[in-house]
Amino acid sequence: MQRRRLIQSGLASASGMLLGDAWAQSAYPNKPIKMIIPLAAGSAVDSAARIVSQKMAMNMGMGIAIENQAGASGLIGAERVAKSPPDGYTLGGFNDSIMTMLPSFHSKMPWDILKDFEPVSLVATIEWALVVPTDSPIKTAADLIEAARKAPGKINYGSGGNGSPQHIAMALFALQSGIQLTHVPYKGATQAAVGTAADEVQTCLQGIATVSPLVKAGKLRILGIPAPKRLPQFADIPTVSESGLPGYEMNSWFAVMAPTGTPKAVIDKYQSEVVKALADAGVREQFASQGLTPLGTTPSELAVLLKAQLNRYGKLIREAGITAG
């Protein structure tokens, strides 16, 4: 396995050098670009990717097609990105669960986040919301904790799958509040939000961008936002700390990655286009309305953050005894 990975790495490196030479000699891009999102349509990462890629496509004069490939909490779609030709025409739009949580749940991974991908940019952080169905008697995080204490294991929460960020977030919520909740994994974050709105489960913790349409439609109610302080665009909504669980915080990432071996010139081109798109007032307004905080890091900055987050979540998951089941 190690020998095969070294061979693949060598081939990717050689391919990348050849592609880099070809790229330098021709106009780029000269055909549509594909961004694979290993998550469901309507998820927070999907929403963020569509906003920023649309502006990037306009600026570059070339289409960027979003392709959702949900399944196995992102493992399947990420593998497709890892195995795509490193020719600069395939990107991956990942959340931090795919990059820094899943490796702690699987002893045998189909890809290595540090070896099989090239960082492009950490595009944004995704703010979250703790929600319940609109007709739920639970009005605050304190109410949720109290209900779970009275009936251990009887309160169900939905997530985007085993090992998904929603799973981790609620497992940590339960751990920090000393309660027992029952995990109900769905095929994606969007399905979990819809399931909560339909009273299939009592609660979920999701990206604001994912639950926002259901909140606006009057089908979900936000108990609190797990941020250090209230968000200016949602000033009337308390933090989870204010709502009943002091010190609880959670958000996630949207990052762009590419297959290993993608020419550096191409990586740098994409990173600069991300930054350019994020500077647009319309993009920033759309991001703010969905609880997205624009960043636009360099590839090297993302690489450093990635390694730190991978270690952080690995330690946290082990110490908390969180399993993928």
Side-chain angles (χ1 to χ4, degrees), residues 277-303:
L278 292 178
D280 180 79
V283 169
R284 296 181 77 86
E285 184 178 342
Q286 289 183 76
F287 267 35
S289 70
Q290 299 199 41
L292 303 166
T293 302
L295 294 174
T297 68
T298 66
S300 58
E301 287 170 339
L302 174 53

Side-chain angles (χ1 to χ4, degrees), residues 20 31 47 156 167 182 222 257 282:
K31 65 179 182 179
S47 298
N156 299 329
H167 175 197
T182 297
I222 299 177
M257 306 286 280

Side-chain angles (χ1 to χ4, degrees), residues 44-45 95-97 101 124-128 165 207 250-254:
V45 166
N95 63 10
D96 53 344
S97 169
M101 298 181 192
T125 53
I126 300 166
E127 302 300 340
W128 286 39
M250 175 62 67
N251 65 17
S252 56
W253 295 356
F254 162 43

Side-chain angles (χ1 to χ4, degrees), residues 28 31-37 53 62-69 80-81 84-85 87-93 256-259 270:
Y28 178 86
K31 65 179 182 179
I33 299 151
K34 177 170 54 187
M35 183 180 289
I36 297 170
I37 309 293
S53 65
M62 184 57 66
I64 300 178
I66 300 290
E67 294 188 14
N68 297 91
Q69 187 162 8
R80 185 176 162 205
V81 176
S84 293
D87 58 5
Y89 289 95
T90 299
L91 295 171
V256 174
M257 306 286 280
Y270 280 132

